[in-house]
Amino acid sequence: MPASFKDILNQYIDALGCTASQLSRYSGISGATISRYRSGERIPSPDSQHFELLCQAISQLAVENGQSDLTFQKIADSFSTAADMNPQLENRFSRNFHALLSSLSISVSDLARALNYDSSYISRIRNGQRTPSDPRLFAEGTAHFVVKRYPEASHRTMVARLTGCDPQELMDDTAYFEVLSQWLIQGENKEKDDLSDFLRKLDEFDLNEYIRVIHFDKMKVPSVPFQFPISKSYYGLSEMMDSELAFLKTTVLSKSMEAVTMYSDMPMEEMAKDPDFPKKWMFGMAVMLKKGLHLNQIHCLNRSFTDMMLGLESWIPMYMTGQISPYYLKTPANLTFSHLLKVSGSAALSGEAITGFHENGRYYLTNNKEEVAYYKKRAEHLLSKALPLMEIYGKDSRSLYHAFLHSDIASGGSRYGILSSLPLYTADEALLCQIMDHNQVTPEERTQILSHAREQLEMALQILSRDTITEEMPLLTEEEFHRSPMRLSLSGIFCEKDIFYSWDDYQKHLLLLKKFQECHPNYTCRLTTETAFSNIQIQIHKGSWVMVSKNKAPAMHFLIRHPKMLHAFENMVIPISDTAQMPHKASAAPAADHTDPEDWK
């Protein structure tokens, strides 16, 4: 495990037989600062003058001590191997720490109490704002906590997925501790970034393309009765998948138009590995929606984050139809038993298994009227305990969407946005009209867009009068722009027409954006040289909600309040690199009309 900066410094002091006061005199660095370096309270930046003076002083003391082989470069190189001096290792630690807390749903407050740290300090380590003064000690403390509080086989399996080892290797507590503590500092995260993967799929999803590929528009709801015994039991994972498909067939082929209620806290990863089941299941769901049935889907979010996001990914196409009402249960699911309940007007599917032994579960499908009535009551009771997972706003609910935005202005709190285009409200009307002129925008559309921009500006100014807004957005080179021109972001008015910037428009908007930031101290713009998404925007009202807005195909807004998902969004590592904050000073503005990306770095 890499040593920390303080460890290497103290090793040099011991090897040279010098004192901290001597090192202070030779380097010109105050004794108090040297003391903080030795305790790990502070670490000099590798490119700072203090770091250079420190290395020179150690080298000089080494020469006087007869150790001329300890050159300045050798000393600097040894410090660069420290975990807390190496940005790559530092970022890896925060990423791994965040992945561990997310995968096991570890409470920050519980961990803070166990390690005797402040919760806010743990949170800053998690999001990369801080690095532990002694990474090894912190990693070992975290590993001890996990071994003690998360001893179940299911927990060890999750850690095995993160670390890339065989779950059997972690059955011994000592091995569990050693693998986890070493991985936190040195290991590569073997588990995919589930939240970013979910957002990427949402960003790429095109409902029209999806409808064309599965022939949804030509799909006919079959009317030939599907016969199966009044009741049937299914055993094991393979038969469990058969029972799911049989339930969908029975529901589709019945005459009932009653809403369908579905709930499952069964693990999903094994089913997702089957090459055929996901396609058949998706087709069955598509036919059910084509029939016009409304679906109350109760999601289980008290499962691993991987399972949770995997489930939500599969629901993206269905959410776009507007026929889904997503819910979740606030009370955690029983960690010993796993359950499944799916009920329609004509059939019911009930399943049970011991958690961790999904392959030995039993699933019971029935179309017996009395039994279906019983399971309907169970579904109604379950639904009464559920809370909305997210509010989905489409064209039909635009008034509710705008009502929410206006009501939220009154609530305080900082806002953070990850945008795929420049914010509409920072452009003036002259520029917007110029953009619309060469996009053949109709007079009606023009009026609507200008009104929307004014409304957005009014809301932004109200927020900025007392709170902060920080937004990330792409900074494109001319080559990148011509390869994929930026579009006006118009999901707020559910406009799916492509209205493109010209390169000149884009440059003018960048300058207006800079002026907007200079005039509003509470506004911060961060331009990125790489963008993660091209068709979605993410708005976060810290501690309250996150909204994922899809610009087109179709334009929709997903308002999420669930604490676990909100926390994941607030702490996610977006796959964006080379972030450059836009300079505030007017003197930094480029002299030319066009903006070179280097001017923003």
Side-chain angles (χ1 to χ4, degrees), residues 432-487:
L432 290 176
C433 288
Q434 178 178 308
I435 295 171
M436 290 187 284
D437 283 344
H438 53 249
N439 275 275
Q440 291 79 50
V441 174
T442 67
E444 183 181 355
E445 290 170 336
R446 179 184 296 259
T447 300
Q448 191 178 20
I449 290 169
L450 292 176
S451 175
H452 176 53
R454 286 192 292 268
E455 183 182 36
Q456 279 203 323
L457 176 61
E458 182 183 333
M459 290 192 293
L461 293 179
Q462 288 186 54
I463 294 170
L464 291 171
S465 66
R466 64 181 188 281
D467 293 307
T468 61
I469 297 177
T470 302
E471 293 180 316
E472 286 187 15
M473 61 205 71
L475 178 65
L476 305 177
T477 64
E478 188 167 3
E479 180 184 353
E480 291 168 336
F481 183 90
H482 288 307
R483 189 165 59 242
S484 181
M486 186 174 285
R487 295 169 293 201

Side-chain angles (χ1 to χ4, degrees), residues 481-508:
F481 183 90
H482 288 307
R483 189 165 59 242
S484 181
M486 186 174 285
R487 295 169 293 201
L488 283 183
S489 178
L490 300 174
S491 63
I493 53 175
F494 301 91
C495 175
E496 296 186 13
K497 181 176 181 177
D498 284 330
I499 299 179
F500 292 102
Y501 287 84
S502 67
W503 173 246
D504 184 60
D505 297 332
Y506 174 59
Q507 295 299 310
K508 288 179 179 178

